[in-house]
Every structure is written in C-alpha cells, then in structure tokens.
Amino acid sequence: MRSFATIAAAAALTAGTLSADIKITEQLSVSGFIDMSYTSVDSPAGDEKGFSFDQAEIDFDFALSDSLSARVDLQGTDSTSIEQARIDYAMGDVT
C-alpha cells in the first residue's frame, strides 16, 4: 500500500507540469489544467491521507483574424467564474 501512495504522490507532483493545447478549429484552441493535492499526516491519533481537488481551469483562445484575437479563461472550484477575458488587436508596425 505504501508503494501506491508513493506512486500517487509522484504522479500528483509531476502532473502540474503537464499541459495540453488542443486545436479545435483554425480559429479556436482550448487549453487548461486540473490542480489537485495529496496530503499525508501521521499522528498518534491515526494517519490521515487523501486527495483533494483544488482548482480547474479551461482557456479558450480565438484567432478571429491575422490582427484580432481573444482569450477567455474560466476557473472553478465549487463554482465557475471568469478569471480573465481579453481582446488583442495588432496594429502592425508603429513608428
């Protein structure tokens, strides 16, 4: 059982470095992550071990044209909220 806990803890620690950027269409890509933690407390009253869900995020990137793009980041724990939303416009060479 201890080897399972070691493997689970190692997986949880390395999972934070993994990310995905999925291209849905030429104009839309989606990325995100799930943030989880594993705790282990050894005490005279008994050992407490477990996983907890901390946060999830999903990001939408829109390429509307060569000069116009947008991004919306949604985050959630018990409820979902907009973390940020922005529109980018490239004006070209500005002197």
Side-chain angles (χ1 to χ4, degrees):
M1 187 65 169
R2 184 168 285 280
S3 63
F4 172 75
T6 303
I7 292 170
L13 290 174
T14 59
T17 62
L18 301 175
S19 63
D21 189 10
I22 302 168
K23 193 171 195 175
I24 305 297
T25 68
E26 290 296 319
Q27 292 80 28
L28 174 63
S29 64
V30 178
S31 61
F33 66 88
I34 296 175
D35 183 11
M36 297 179 69
S37 57
Y38 175 79
T39 56
S40 175
V41 177
D42 296 330
S43 69
D47 297 345
E48 295 180 32
K49 298 177 179 162
F51 288 93
S52 64
F53 169 75
D54 300 321
Q55 175 188 359
E57 181 170 314
I58 186 166
D59 308 322
F60 298 94
D61 286 300
F62 302 92
L64 304 171
S65 70
D66 289 340
S67 59
L68 184 62
S69 63
R71 181 180 174 110
V72 177
D73 296 356
L74 302 176
Q75 69 177 1
T77 51
D78 293 334
S79 63
T80 304
S81 63
I82 296 175
E83 180 182 27
Q84 72 171 342
R86 72 171 196 256
I87 297 173
D88 298 316
Y89 179 73
M91 298 176 60
D93 294 333
V94 177
T95 55

